[in-house]
Amino acid sequence: MKKLLIIAIGLVLPLSFSSCYYDELPPENIVIPDVVSYSTDIQPIFNQSCIGCHNPGSVEPDLTNPNSYNILINEGWVVPENANGSDLYKSLIGDGAPLMPPNGALSDGKITLVQKWINQGALNN
């Protein structure tokens, strides 16, 4: 019985030390383009991280709508050339608005992409 306990400890102990190796995800390598595109760079972020909640009949704005760009601009979620004054950006950094997405912040690279898109004039390109 004592030998079995020693063998069990001998197997479990190394596994417990190695289990911490993947506690953190590797940093996301996002290339920030010179000109940020809504359709190529921003909408995919929404598709991956936001439309689970921001969809028809749920939380505003509806980011699944084909006119999501117009909704963001016309309903004041985005103030072109002013990321710090845009509710969308404020919610991504948790500045005076609930942090979005609620299940965990976007990566710094994705937030920088949205910030740059807004500050470049929030073009529908």
Side-chain angles (χ1 to χ4, degrees):
M1 182 70 169
K2 196 172 189 180
K3 285 184 180 183
L4 184 59
L5 181 61
I6 291 172
I7 291 171
I9 290 173
L11 292 174
V12 172
L13 196 58
L15 290 174
S16 66
F17 287 121
S18 66
S19 67
C20 296
Y21 181 75
Y22 292 106
D23 281 351
E24 292 184 28
L25 295 174
E28 193 170 34
N29 189 14
I30 292 185
V31 177
I32 307 292
D34 290 336
V35 176
V36 180
S37 166
Y38 180 76
S39 60
T40 303
D41 301 311
I42 304 303
Q43 187 65 52
I45 294 171
F46 295 157
N47 292 345
Q48 180 183 24
S49 303
C50 306
I51 62 172
C53 296
H54 290 274
N55 54 60
S58 191
V59 179
E60 293 293 327
D62 175 7
L63 297 175
T64 65
N65 189 311
N67 295 316
S68 63
Y69 172 83
N70 292 329
I71 291 169
L72 290 172
I73 301 298
N74 296 336
E75 293 183 10
W77 295 98
V78 171
V79 179
E81 299 180 356
N82 185 3
N84 292 331
S86 297
D87 290 340
L88 171 66
Y89 179 70
K90 288 180 183 179
S91 68
L92 296 179
I93 62 172
D95 179 17
L99 182 64
M100 293 290 151
N103 60 347
L106 294 178
S107 70
D108 290 342
K110 289 178 181 176
I111 292 171
T112 299
L113 213 72
V114 172
Q115 179 186 34
K116 186 171 182 179
W117 169 69
I118 294 171
N119 285 336
Q120 287 181 340
L123 301 175
N124 187 10
N125 51 1

